[in-house]
Amino acid sequence: MLTLATDDTGGPEIFASLQGEGPSQGKPCAFVRLSRCNLACVWCDTAYTWRFEGDNRPHRSGLTYERTANQVALPEDEVARRIAALGQPRLVITGGEPLLQAAALARMLALLPDIRVEIETNGTVAPPPALDALVAQYNVSPKLAHSGNPADLALPPERLTAWATEPRAALKFVVAEPADVDEVLALAERYAIPRTRIWLMAEGTDPATLNARETWLAPLCLEHGLTLSNRLHIHLYGDTRGT
């Protein structure tokens, strides 16, 4: 079984859209959003995947979500059937933290041999071999200090070292102020992360905030040889589920 997040109708969050972030931005994809996360970013825009009633990890909204209304369990073959029905050439598996359900994901992806698979991950969990063999691209988003997560949880050295040498991994850092870029550059230096595989993305859930932050982020990307990632889905659809 896989544990998925729910969309606004209460059904599983499986949908077709354009990829909004990172190397595949703008490409048509199927998406599946899984529930549960081992980190707790204070600005997380999908807190309904982890901040359930009784979870006291901090979030700037202060909201908690009823677990039964925001999670649904489905067999792997049913998830695969729904993904295939969308008819898209790419599949983006997001969360939450998808690699917490790696074994079930591997069983599900074995039923979809002709689709290109991307996994969006916070980078703290190693993909097991059975799943790794089925993945074309990892969109790794290590969490910086402003996320509110302890560094020993969010930035495990052994995982950053592994991702730095993984050619399928694009490292996408969420930044809210220029000082965050300094933290990214220090991590790139410490772990020998090629700058050609680093994306910087402004934190924000509305176009005005994104545009304001990109005005100073774009010159920093140019100065340091890094790639700017937009949040295309926010501009197109707003901060909504199933988009």
Side-chain angles (χ1 to χ4, degrees), residues 47-204:
Y48 62 91
T49 67
W50 59 269
R51 200 169 194 267
F52 303 118
E53 294 170 348
D55 189 330
N56 295 319
R57 292 178 293 175
H59 189 271
R60 65 186 178 191
S61 73
L63 297 175
T64 56
Y65 298 86
E66 184 185 1
R67 185 184 295 270
T68 57
N70 289 276
Q71 278 187 345
V72 59
L74 288 178
E76 292 95 343
D77 59 348
E78 175 61 14
V79 177
R81 185 192 67 78
R82 294 185 183 221
I83 291 167
L86 296 172
Q88 299 300 323
R90 292 171 179 257
L91 170 63
V92 177
I93 303 169
T94 187
E97 174 47 57
L99 293 179
L100 296 178
Q101 301 186 57
L105 274 180
R107 292 191 295 269
M108 187 270 287
L109 291 178
L111 304 174
L112 297 167
D114 299 323
I115 198 166
R116 176 182 170 87
V117 177
E118 300 182 15
I119 291 183
E120 299 192 331
T121 174
N122 61 32
T124 63
V125 181
L131 177 61
D132 185 61
L134 303 172
V135 177
Q137 180 175 310
Y138 290 99
N139 302 322
V140 184
S141 184
K143 305 310 180 190
L144 303 175
H146 72 97
S147 71
N149 293 289
D152 60 337
L153 295 179
L155 301 169
E158 71 279 5
R159 293 310 312 143
L160 287 172
T161 299
W163 293 123
T165 58
E166 171 52 73
R168 294 171 293 167
L171 286 94
K172 179 186 66 184
F173 294 90
V174 176
V175 298
E177 58 185 41
D180 299 331
V181 179
D182 295 331
E183 187 178 353
V184 173
L185 294 171
L187 290 170
E189 179 69 20
R190 179 178 177 184
Y191 295 103
I193 304 170
R195 295 194 182 191
T196 55
R197 290 203 284 114
I198 295 177
W199 272 252
L200 299 186
M201 185 178 75
E203 188 274 313

Side-chain angles (χ1 to χ4, degrees), residues 4-59:
L4 287 77
T6 60
D7 61 20
D8 290 330
T9 72
E13 198 170 355
I14 302 172
F15 59 97
S17 188
L18 302 178
Q19 171 64 296
E21 305 171 355
S24 302
Q25 181 176 296
K27 294 186 180 296
C29 301
F31 286 80
V32 57
R33 186 178 302 281
L34 301 185
S35 191
R36 305 202 310 263
C37 193
N38 60 332
L39 297 183
C41 299
V42 296
W43 38 256
C44 178
D45 61 355
T46 57
Y48 62 91
T49 67
W50 59 269
R51 200 169 194 267
F52 303 118
E53 294 170 348
D55 189 330
N56 295 319
R57 292 178 293 175
H59 189 271

